[in-house]
Amino acid sequence: MDVNEFKKRGKEMIDFIAEYYENVDNMPPMSSVKPGYLYSLIPHEAPEEPESFENIQQDIETKIMPGMMHWQSSNFFGWYPSSGSFPAMLGDMVSSMFSIIGFNWICSPAATELETVVMDWLGKLIGLDSRFMAIKEDGTEGDGGGVIQGTASEAHIVVMIAAREMAVDRLKSYGMNSSDIDMVRHTLVAYFSDQTHSAGQKATSIIGCQARIIPSDANFRLTKCALQAAITKDRQNGLIPFFVCATFGTTNTAAIDDLYGIADVADSEHLWLHIDAAYAGAALTCPEFRPLARGIDRAHSFNFNPHKWLLTNFDCSALWVADSTHLVNALSIEREYLPKVKGATDFVKDYRNWELPLGRRFRSLKLWFVMRMYGASGIRAYIRKHVKEAKWLEAQLLEDGRFEIMAPVVFGLVVFRVKSGIIAGSACDVNKTNAELVRRINNDGRVFLVGTNIRGVHVLRPNIGSTYGTSENTALLVKVIKECTTKVIAEYSKQ
């Protein structure tokens, strides 16, 4: 493909993408293919000779498209959103054009410095404390800063490694040598609630420490008292607490942990406090939500995913640390083929020392495009629209009378189920009915949502978060829920 054909095919691909977005709401959001469908449709070896663009395009439409879950459909209400946007796509195109491997400043100064600036922009937009900014108000370099990770799972691993470095430094200050420390590394304990994302527990497996899962309270929150009790017990058993993750918007119910109380415990017990706001962190662009996050200014690290609810195509996970010292010390490895800047190094960040991979994409471009083309006002309007729609959905379900809301509706998530009094039978029968309702709604093909289980209770959890969705899509969701509920209840009443 030469540059002239690229121009031609590129324009065709833009048209194809635009037509997809114009028509995606007319497609069932959920794929109906069976496992292994694609293996029987495509050759089992790469082609020996080049194939035409037309053939590849045809295969996308006839073989790939049927196996796609349409996350960008306005009728997709599953999990949490993957909120792409056209400005972000354009930024990704420019990133692909440069195709850099930006492991340090020298590789492409603009890539490093734009990330530093854009992460400060974003940090200020969500109201983060100045400790998390790379550049101070007086223009000098700060101790903290932001870095774009691939996912919140990567961020968990990175900050836990930094926390371990901080814990090791503390043990050294007590007079322990390296051999002594190696003997007790397995006694390091990280703390999570039973509602914390699974990424936290996976991180402990990777770095080789223990995970303590603490029961959440009646509102699905990790509390100060529960954390303190767990730490006290572990210290009595000779273990070494070193890390705690508090969540701002859990996956199951969007619950908010007792951030301020947890920060109290982290301070007194010398724990690294990480706040996982993967989904709900985007809401902090709106000042009215910031009182819910009281305590984040006391954290060591804070993370949220613009690729979930901030109009930025996957992958883009924003991580800030208040002090990068332990992070950089833990992840820095020097090699002769990784040249360093000589002379003045102010504002020179080698982000390879802030993450697990060496190579990294120019991901700040798409975030830069989004923030410039939407503006802070446009981003806030986008978040508030979804919250308003979620509140309307809640009201419609309550007005119907057959449903109960199982968790406070604060952001775009609505957790509900068919009431036990509506269905004759045991708690098990009620759970089966609600599980069947999820299946029936998705098989209907007009909308897609997922269910979950909270303390033995099966619930439905549609999330409002489509980039281009409207109130008509939420109204369709309500219509499908009600119609399918009527059918499911009628069938169970006959049993």
Side-chain angles (χ1 to χ4, degrees), residues 266-486:
D267 285 347
S268 64
E269 297 286 351
H270 307 295
L271 272 60
W272 181 291
L273 171 57
H274 175 61
I275 295 181
D276 174 14
Y279 160 64
L284 298 176
T285 57
C286 303
E288 63 266 29
F289 291 105
R290 292 177 190 168
L292 300 175
R294 179 173 173 262
I296 66 171
D297 57 311
R298 301 170 63 192
H300 293 82
S301 53
F302 178 88
N303 169 239
F304 90 97
N305 291 341
H307 65 234
K308 273 193 170 68
W309 200 19
L310 204 79
L311 298 157
T312 307
N313 292 49
F314 189 86
D315 56 350
C316 184
S317 185
L319 170 67
W320 289 266
V321 290
D323 187 337
S324 64
T325 303
H326 295 296
L327 178 64
V328 172
N329 287 347
L331 296 177
S332 294
I333 296 178
E334 302 302 331
R335 290 290 186 269
E336 61 277 1
Y337 49 79
L338 300 174
K340 300 188 71 173
V341 176
K342 296 179 180 179
T345 58
D346 287 350
F347 309 110
V348 175
K349 295 187 183 298
D350 285 350
Y351 281 123
R352 65 186 174 86
N353 298 328
W354 293 53
E355 64 176 12
L356 298 177
L358 174 67
R360 55 201 328 272
R361 297 174 58 237
F362 197 172
R363 286 177 292 211
S364 59
L365 271 172
K366 57 188 171 185
L367 195 53
W368 191 48
F369 270 58
V370 166
M371 295 174 74
R372 294 185 69 182
M373 296 188 75
Y374 279 93
S377 62
I379 291 170
R380 293 187 188 109
Y382 162 82
I383 296 293
R384 287 167 178 152
K385 178 187 75 171
H386 290 151
V387 175
K388 180 180 178 181
E389 289 291 315
K391 292 288 188 182
W392 182 83
L393 172 58
E394 176 190 29
Q396 292 298 304
L397 294 171
L398 290 174
E399 183 180 302
D400 179 277
R402 294 177 294 178
F403 308 103
E404 59 182 331
I405 304 300
M406 303 300 291
V409 178
V410 180
F411 306 114
L413 182 68
V414 181
V415 183
F416 75 97
R417 70 167 183 163
V418 178
K419 289 180 180 178
S420 58
I422 301 298
I423 306 160
S426 65
C428 182
D429 293 326
V430 176
N431 276 345
K432 288 180 179 178
T433 301
N434 281 284
E436 172 61 19
L437 180 57
V438 173
R439 190 190 70 82
R440 191 70 61 91
I441 288 169
N442 291 334
N443 286 346
D444 174 86
R446 286 177 287 175
V447 301
F448 175 81
L449 53 74
V450 296
T452 189
N453 192 290
I454 49 176
R455 298 199 179 120
V457 176
H458 199 91
V459 298
L460 295 82
R461 56 172 306 286
N463 184 83
I464 312 295
S466 169
T467 300
Y468 301 108
T470 68
S471 57
E472 292 180 0
N473 301 102
T474 311
L476 175 62
L477 173 63
V478 171
K479 184 174 187 292
V480 173
I481 290 172
K482 290 182 176 181
E483 289 177 359
C484 290
T485 299
T486 297

Side-chain angles (χ1 to χ4, degrees), residues 84-143:
S85 68
F86 298 132
M89 288 185 214
L90 295 175
D92 250 350
M93 289 173 64
V94 178
S95 176
S96 295
M97 176 187 76
F98 288 124
S99 193
I100 67 165
I101 304 174
F103 48 81
N104 65 9
W105 184 89
I106 291 175
C107 291
S108 278
T112 294
E113 296 197 14
L114 183 64
E115 185 160 341
T116 301
V117 171
V118 165
M119 288 299 289
D120 272 7
W121 278 14
L122 186 57
K124 292 173 183 176
L125 184 61
I126 63 173
L128 284 185
D129 188 80
S130 60
R131 296 187 309 128
F132 293 101
M133 301 300 114
I135 303 171
K136 297 178 182 178
E137 291 295 328
D138 63 4
T140 60
E141 192 173 13
D143 295 325

Side-chain angles (χ1 to χ4, degrees), residues 221-224 245-249 255-266 273-277 284 290-299 302:
R221 303 160 66 244
L222 176 60
T223 64
K224 175 180 179 177
C245 176
T247 305
F248 182 77
I256 301 170
D257 289 339
D258 177 13
L259 305 182
Y260 200 86
I262 292 169
D264 284 342
V265 177
L273 171 57
H274 175 61
I275 295 181
D276 174 14
L284 298 176
R290 292 177 190 168
L292 300 175
R294 179 173 173 262
I296 66 171
D297 57 311
R298 301 170 63 192
F302 178 88

Side-chain angles (χ1 to χ4, degrees), residues 228 232 301:
Q228 185 62 71
T232 300
S301 53

